[in-house]
Amino acid sequence: TNILETGEFVVNVMSEWMVEAANHTSGNFAGDVDEMAAANLTPLASRVVSPARVGESAVQFECRAVHTHDLRNRDGDVTATLIV
């Protein structure tokens, strides 16, 4: 599930030994793919939001999106979305 669809997400701060697996979760996966399972990471139930936390992360921030802002290139194409 996507942050833009649910408004909820978890920021997981990873230790150096887990960086490769964590980086794998940032791929361009289809909506029905479990990124944590693909990266062999352990999901933990969150306390405040619906998305799971990463068990291997050193610190976890459970978040709700308040605002989104599309970032555009010189041609006006959306290249990223900033989430606050």
mmCIF file of all heavy atoms in Angstrom, residues 24-61:
data_model
loop_
_atom_site.group_PDB
_atom_site.id
_atom_site.type_symbol
_atom_site.label_atom_id
_atom_site.label_comp_id
_atom_site.label_asym_id
_atom_site.label_seq_id
_atom_site.Cartn_x
_atom_site.Cartn_y
_atom_site.Cartn_z
ATOM 1 N N HIS A 24 16.989 -2.311 -0.749
ATOM 2 C CA HIS A 24 16.217 -3.147 -1.670
ATOM 3 C C HIS A 24 14.725 -2.810 -1.601
ATOM 4 O O HIS A 24 14.015 -2.896 -2.608
ATOM 5 C CB HIS A 24 16.445 -4.627 -1.354
ATOM 6 C CG HIS A 24 15.776 -5.553 -2.309
ATOM 7 N ND1 HIS A 24 16.179 -5.686 -3.619
ATOM 8 C CD2 HIS A 24 14.713 -6.372 -2.156
ATOM 9 C CE1 HIS A 24 15.398 -6.563 -4.227
ATOM 10 N NE2 HIS A 24 14.494 -6.984 -3.353
ATOM 11 N N THR A 25 14.222 -2.384 -0.435
ATOM 12 C CA THR A 25 12.796 -2.081 -0.292
ATOM 13 C C THR A 25 12.385 -0.808 -1.028
ATOM 14 O O THR A 25 11.202 -0.554 -1.189
ATOM 15 C CB THR A 25 12.378 -1.940 1.188
ATOM 16 O OG1 THR A 25 13.018 -0.789 1.746
ATOM 17 C CG2 THR A 25 12.726 -3.169 1.987
ATOM 18 N N SER A 26 13.349 -0.009 -1.468
ATOM 19 C CA SER A 26 13.007 1.243 -2.150
ATOM 20 C C SER A 26 12.845 1.064 -3.655
ATOM 21 O O SER A 26 12.721 2.043 -4.384
ATOM 22 C CB SER A 26 14.069 2.317 -1.861
ATOM 23 O OG SER A 26 15.311 1.938 -2.419
ATOM 24 N N GLY A 27 12.815 -0.172 -4.112
ATOM 25 C CA GLY A 27 12.633 -0.443 -5.534
ATOM 26 C C GLY A 27 11.241 -0.045 -6.005
ATOM 27 O O GLY A 27 10.354 0.270 -5.215
ATOM 28 N N ASN A 28 11.036 -0.090 -7.290
ATOM 29 C CA ASN A 28 9.755 0.273 -7.896
ATOM 30 C C ASN A 28 8.875 -0.974 -7.975
ATOM 31 O O ASN A 28 8.697 -1.570 -9.031
ATOM 32 C CB ASN A 28 9.991 0.882 -9.280
ATOM 33 C CG ASN A 28 8.744 1.537 -9.819
ATOM 34 O OD1 ASN A 28 7.814 1.811 -9.079
ATOM 35 N ND2 ASN A 28 8.731 1.787 -11.104
ATOM 36 N N PHE A 29 8.320 -1.380 -6.824
ATOM 37 C CA PHE A 29 7.509 -2.591 -6.737
ATOM 38 C C PHE A 29 6.052 -2.308 -7.083
ATOM 39 O O PHE A 29 5.556 -1.209 -6.860
ATOM 40 C CB PHE A 29 7.555 -3.159 -5.309
ATOM 41 C CG PHE A 29 8.898 -3.692 -4.903
ATOM 42 C CD1 PHE A 29 9.759 -2.915 -4.153
ATOM 43 C CD2 PHE A 29 9.289 -4.973 -5.250
ATOM 44 C CE1 PHE A 29 10.992 -3.398 -3.758
ATOM 45 C CE2 PHE A 29 10.517 -5.469 -4.862
ATOM 46 C CZ PHE A 29 11.374 -4.679 -4.118
ATOM 47 N N ALA A 30 5.372 -3.317 -7.590
ATOM 48 C CA ALA A 30 3.925 -3.225 -7.811
ATOM 49 C C ALA A 30 3.244 -3.103 -6.446
ATOM 50 O O ALA A 30 3.801 -3.516 -5.419
ATOM 51 C CB ALA A 30 3.433 -4.467 -8.542
ATOM 52 N N GLY A 31 2.044 -2.550 -6.424
ATOM 53 C CA GLY A 31 1.333 -2.304 -5.180
ATOM 54 C C GLY A 31 1.044 -3.552 -4.354
ATOM 55 O O GLY A 31 0.885 -3.483 -3.148
ATOM 56 N N ASP A 32 0.974 -4.714 -5.006
ATOM 57 C CA ASP A 32 0.648 -5.942 -4.283
ATOM 58 C C ASP A 32 1.884 -6.709 -3.802
ATOM 59 O O ASP A 32 1.767 -7.792 -3.240
ATOM 60 C CB ASP A 32 -0.218 -6.848 -5.157
ATOM 61 C CG ASP A 32 0.484 -7.274 -6.436
ATOM 62 O OD1 ASP A 32 1.458 -6.610 -6.847
ATOM 63 O OD2 ASP A 32 0.040 -8.272 -7.043
ATOM 64 N N VAL A 33 3.086 -6.148 -3.991
ATOM 65 C CA VAL A 33 4.324 -6.813 -3.581
ATOM 66 C C VAL A 33 4.715 -6.361 -2.176
ATOM 67 O O VAL A 33 4.705 -5.172 -1.863
ATOM 68 C CB VAL A 33 5.472 -6.512 -4.575
ATOM 69 C CG1 VAL A 33 6.790 -7.074 -4.079
ATOM 70 C CG2 VAL A 33 5.140 -7.063 -5.944
ATOM 71 N N ASP A 34 5.048 -7.307 -1.329
ATOM 72 C CA ASP A 34 5.502 -7.025 0.034
ATOM 73 C C ASP A 34 7.008 -6.770 -0.010
ATOM 74 O O ASP A 34 7.801 -7.702 -0.132
ATOM 75 C CB ASP A 34 5.177 -8.211 0.941
ATOM 76 C CG ASP A 34 5.555 -7.990 2.389
ATOM 77 O OD1 ASP A 34 6.394 -7.105 2.678
ATOM 78 O OD2 ASP A 34 5.016 -8.719 3.239
ATOM 79 N N GLU A 35 7.397 -5.493 0.089
ATOM 80 C CA GLU A 35 8.814 -5.127 -0.014
ATOM 81 C C GLU A 35 9.648 -5.738 1.108
ATOM 82 O O GLU A 35 10.793 -6.110 0.909
ATOM 83 C CB GLU A 35 9.002 -3.602 0.002
ATOM 84 C CG GLU A 35 8.436 -2.891 -1.201
ATOM 85 C CD GLU A 35 7.053 -2.321 -0.936
ATOM 86 O OE1 GLU A 35 6.368 -2.808 -0.008
ATOM 87 O OE2 GLU A 35 6.654 -1.408 -1.665
ATOM 88 N N MET A 36 9.076 -5.816 2.300
ATOM 89 C CA MET A 36 9.830 -6.398 3.417
ATOM 90 C C MET A 36 10.131 -7.873 3.179
ATOM 91 O O MET A 36 11.231 -8.335 3.445
ATOM 92 C CB MET A 36 9.090 -6.210 4.741
ATOM 93 C CG MET A 36 9.343 -4.867 5.362
ATOM 94 S SD MET A 36 8.973 -4.863 7.103
ATOM 95 C CE MET A 36 7.570 -3.772 7.105
ATOM 96 N N ALA A 37 9.146 -8.606 2.678
ATOM 97 C CA ALA A 37 9.367 -10.024 2.378
ATOM 98 C C ALA A 37 10.416 -10.175 1.275
ATOM 99 O O ALA A 37 11.295 -11.036 1.355
ATOM 100 C CB ALA A 37 8.063 -10.694 1.968
ATOM 101 N N ALA A 38 10.349 -9.308 0.262
ATOM 102 C CA ALA A 38 11.317 -9.366 -0.838
ATOM 103 C C ALA A 38 12.736 -9.096 -0.358
ATOM 104 O O ALA A 38 13.698 -9.620 -0.912
ATOM 105 C CB ALA A 38 10.933 -8.359 -1.922
ATOM 106 N N ALA A 39 12.878 -8.277 0.691
ATOM 107 C CA ALA A 39 14.199 -7.935 1.232
ATOM 108 C C ALA A 39 14.574 -8.809 2.426
ATOM 109 O O ALA A 39 15.614 -8.620 3.040
ATOM 110 C CB ALA A 39 14.231 -6.470 1.645
ATOM 111 N N ASN A 40 13.716 -9.774 2.773
ATOM 112 C CA ASN A 40 13.952 -10.681 3.896
ATOM 113 C C ASN A 40 14.076 -9.920 5.221
ATOM 114 O O ASN A 40 14.936 -10.219 6.047
ATOM 115 C CB ASN A 40 15.172 -11.557 3.643
ATOM 116 C CG ASN A 40 15.138 -12.824 4.477
ATOM 117 O OD1 ASN A 40 14.070 -13.282 4.862
ATOM 118 N ND2 ASN A 40 16.299 -13.364 4.764
ATOM 119 N N LEU A 41 13.214 -8.913 5.412
ATOM 120 C CA LEU A 41 13.174 -8.143 6.652
ATOM 121 C C LEU A 41 11.956 -8.565 7.476
ATOM 122 O O LEU A 41 10.984 -9.087 6.941
ATOM 123 C CB LEU A 41 13.111 -6.643 6.356
ATOM 124 C CG LEU A 41 14.349 -6.061 5.683
ATOM 125 C CD1 LEU A 41 14.084 -4.631 5.222
ATOM 126 C CD2 LEU A 41 15.544 -6.103 6.622
ATOM 127 N N THR A 42 12.003 -8.323 8.776
ATOM 128 C CA THR A 42 10.964 -8.759 9.699
ATOM 129 C C THR A 42 9.944 -7.655 9.972
ATOM 130 O O THR A 42 10.295 -6.624 10.548
ATOM 131 C CB THR A 42 11.601 -9.173 11.047
ATOM 132 O OG1 THR A 42 12.643 -10.106 10.795
ATOM 133 C CG2 THR A 42 10.573 -9.771 11.978
ATOM 134 N N PRO A 43 8.675 -7.860 9.594
ATOM 135 C CA PRO A 43 7.655 -6.852 9.903
ATOM 136 C C PRO A 43 7.213 -6.957 11.369
ATOM 137 O O PRO A 43 7.060 -8.058 11.900
ATOM 138 C CB PRO A 43 6.506 -7.202 8.967
ATOM 139 C CG PRO A 43 6.678 -8.656 8.678
ATOM 140 C CD PRO A 43 8.150 -8.950 8.780
ATOM 141 N N LEU A 44 7.039 -5.813 12.009
ATOM 142 C CA LEU A 44 6.486 -5.731 13.363
ATOM 143 C C LEU A 44 5.249 -4.851 13.310
ATOM 144 O O LEU A 44 5.244 -3.828 12.629
ATOM 145 C CB LEU A 44 7.488 -5.092 14.332
ATOM 146 C CG LEU A 44 8.776 -5.838 14.641
ATOM 147 C CD1 LEU A 44 9.650 -4.989 15.561
ATOM 148 C CD2 LEU A 44 8.466 -7.168 15.300
ATOM 149 N N ALA A 45 4.221 -5.214 14.043
ATOM 150 C CA ALA A 45 3.016 -4.392 14.086
ATOM 151 C C ALA A 45 3.363 -3.023 14.663
ATOM 152 O O ALA A 45 4.099 -2.930 15.646
ATOM 153 C CB ALA A 45 1.955 -5.067 14.935
ATOM 154 N N SER A 46 2.846 -1.978 14.036
ATOM 155 C CA SER A 46 3.028 -0.620 14.552
ATOM 156 C C SER A 46 2.029 -0.371 15.665
ATOM 157 O O SER A 46 1.019 -1.046 15.774
ATOM 158 C CB SER A 46 2.839 0.403 13.433
ATOM 159 O OG SER A 46 3.872 0.285 12.485
ATOM 160 N N ARG A 47 2.310 0.641 16.481
ATOM 161 C CA ARG A 47 1.433 0.967 17.598
ATOM 162 C C ARG A 47 0.398 2.036 17.241
ATOM 163 O O ARG A 47 -0.670 2.088 17.821
ATOM 164 C CB ARG A 47 2.274 1.438 18.777
ATOM 165 C CG ARG A 47 3.173 0.349 19.314
ATOM 166 C CD ARG A 47 4.000 0.842 20.489
ATOM 167 N NE ARG A 47 4.792 -0.252 21.026
ATOM 168 C CZ ARG A 47 6.102 -0.358 20.881
ATOM 169 N NH1 ARG A 47 6.775 0.559 20.240
ATOM 170 N NH2 ARG A 47 6.744 -1.390 21.393
ATOM 171 N N VAL A 48 0.732 2.932 16.285
ATOM 172 C CA VAL A 48 -0.115 4.087 15.988
ATOM 173 C C VAL A 48 -0.691 4.042 14.573
ATOM 174 O O VAL A 48 -1.818 4.470 14.352
ATOM 175 C CB VAL A 48 0.688 5.400 16.199
ATOM 176 C CG1 VAL A 48 -0.128 6.619 15.850
ATOM 177 C CG2 VAL A 48 1.190 5.484 17.638
ATOM 178 N N VAL A 49 0.071 3.549 13.603
ATOM 179 C CA VAL A 49 -0.360 3.526 12.204
ATOM 180 C C VAL A 49 -0.502 2.093 11.712
ATOM 181 O O VAL A 49 -0.026 1.153 12.354
ATOM 182 C CB VAL A 49 0.630 4.317 11.307
ATOM 183 C CG1 VAL A 49 0.675 5.778 11.704
ATOM 184 C CG2 VAL A 49 2.017 3.695 11.334
ATOM 185 N N SER A 50 -1.132 1.925 10.561
ATOM 186 C CA SER A 50 -1.355 0.582 10.011
ATOM 187 C C SER A 50 -0.107 -0.078 9.425
ATOM 188 O O SER A 50 0.085 -1.277 9.612
ATOM 189 C CB SER A 50 -2.445 0.630 8.943
ATOM 190 O OG SER A 50 -3.669 1.001 9.529
ATOM 191 N N PRO A 51 0.758 0.650 8.688
ATOM 192 C CA PRO A 51 1.919 -0.016 8.097
ATOM 193 C C PRO A 51 2.842 -0.601 9.168
ATOM 194 O O PRO A 51 2.987 -0.030 10.257
ATOM 195 C CB PRO A 51 2.639 1.100 7.332
ATOM 196 C CG PRO A 51 1.599 2.139 7.109
ATOM 197 C CD PRO A 51 0.690 2.058 8.292
ATOM 198 N N ALA A 52 3.440 -1.722 8.842
ATOM 199 C CA ALA A 52 4.350 -2.391 9.775
ATOM 200 C C ALA A 52 5.681 -1.659 9.882
ATOM 201 O O ALA A 52 6.091 -0.950 8.968
ATOM 202 C CB ALA A 52 4.590 -3.825 9.314
ATOM 203 N N ARG A 53 6.341 -1.846 11.024
ATOM 204 C CA ARG A 53 7.700 -1.357 11.232
ATOM 205 C C ARG A 53 8.667 -2.467 10.812
ATOM 206 O O ARG A 53 8.284 -3.620 10.709
ATOM 207 C CB ARG A 53 7.925 -1.034 12.711
ATOM 208 C CG ARG A 53 7.013 0.048 13.237
ATOM 209 C CD ARG A 53 7.158 0.242 14.734
ATOM 210 N NE ARG A 53 6.586 -0.901 15.443
ATOM 211 C CZ ARG A 53 7.124 -1.448 16.535
ATOM 212 N NH1 ARG A 53 8.232 -0.977 17.066
ATOM 213 N NH2 ARG A 53 6.539 -2.472 17.120
ATOM 214 N N VAL A 54 9.929 -2.111 10.592
ATOM 215 C CA VAL A 54 10.967 -3.099 10.273
ATOM 216 C C VAL A 54 11.649 -3.509 11.578
ATOM 217 O O VAL A 54 12.218 -2.671 12.276
ATOM 218 C CB VAL A 54 12.004 -2.528 9.278
ATOM 219 C CG1 VAL A 54 13.130 -3.524 9.044
ATOM 220 C CG2 VAL A 54 11.335 -2.173 7.958
ATOM 221 N N GLY A 55 11.558 -4.787 11.909
ATOM 222 C CA GLY A 55 12.110 -5.280 13.163
ATOM 223 C C GLY A 55 13.598 -5.047 13.311
ATOM 224 O O GLY A 55 14.088 -4.850 14.423
ATOM 225 N N GLU A 56 14.328 -5.051 12.218
ATOM 226 C CA GLU A 56 15.782 -4.881 12.266
ATOM 227 C C GLU A 56 16.223 -3.424 12.373
ATOM 228 O O GLU A 56 17.411 -3.152 12.542
ATOM 229 C CB GLU A 56 16.428 -5.505 11.017
ATOM 230 C CG GLU A 56 16.344 -7.008 10.933
ATOM 231 C CD GLU A 56 15.001 -7.533 10.423
ATOM 232 O OE1 GLU A 56 14.105 -6.723 10.085
ATOM 233 O OE2 GLU A 56 14.853 -8.753 10.368
ATOM 234 N N SER A 57 15.300 -2.483 12.268
ATOM 235 C CA SER A 57 15.701 -1.072 12.288
ATOM 236 C C SER A 57 16.060 -0.622 13.700
ATOM 237 O O SER A 57 15.489 -1.084 14.688
ATOM 238 C CB SER A 57 14.617 -0.168 11.698
ATOM 239 O OG SER A 57 13.519 -0.066 12.564
ATOM 240 N N ALA A 58 17.013 0.307 13.770
ATOM 241 C CA ALA A 58 17.472 0.827 15.056
ATOM 242 C C ALA A 58 16.439 1.761 15.678
ATOM 243 O O ALA A 58 16.248 1.782 16.889
ATOM 244 C CB ALA A 58 18.802 1.562 14.872
ATOM 245 N N VAL A 59 15.754 2.544 14.843
ATOM 246 C CA VAL A 59 14.750 3.517 15.289
ATOM 247 C C VAL A 59 13.599 3.504 14.293
ATOM 248 O O VAL A 59 13.818 3.393 13.091
ATOM 249 C CB VAL A 59 15.363 4.943 15.353
ATOM 250 C CG1 VAL A 59 14.328 5.966 15.760
ATOM 251 C CG2 VAL A 59 16.559 4.985 16.283
ATOM 252 N N GLN A 60 12.376 3.638 14.799
ATOM 253 C CA GLN A 60 11.201 3.662 13.931
ATOM 254 C C GLN A 60 10.323 4.856 14.292
ATOM 255 O O GLN A 60 10.038 5.079 15.466
ATOM 256 C CB GLN A 60 10.391 2.372 14.104
ATOM 257 C CG GLN A 60 11.186 1.132 13.820
ATOM 258 C CD GLN A 60 11.090 0.105 14.934
ATOM 259 O OE1 GLN A 60 10.570 0.359 15.996
ATOM 260 N NE2 GLN A 60 11.625 -1.066 14.673
ATOM 261 N N PHE A 61 9.916 5.603 13.271
ATOM 262 C CA PHE A 61 9.004 6.739 13.453
ATOM 263 C C PHE A 61 7.691 6.411 12.735
ATOM 264 O O PHE A 61 7.679 6.261 11.518
ATOM 265 C CB PHE A 61 9.583 8.028 12.854
ATOM 266 C CG PHE A 61 10.850 8.491 13.495
ATOM 267 C CD1 PHE A 61 12.071 8.239 12.888
ATOM 268 C CD2 PHE A 61 10.832 9.179 14.705
ATOM 269 C CE1 PHE A 61 13.251 8.673 13.472
ATOM 270 C CE2 PHE A 61 12.010 9.615 15.291
ATOM 271 C CZ PHE A 61 13.220 9.357 14.680
#
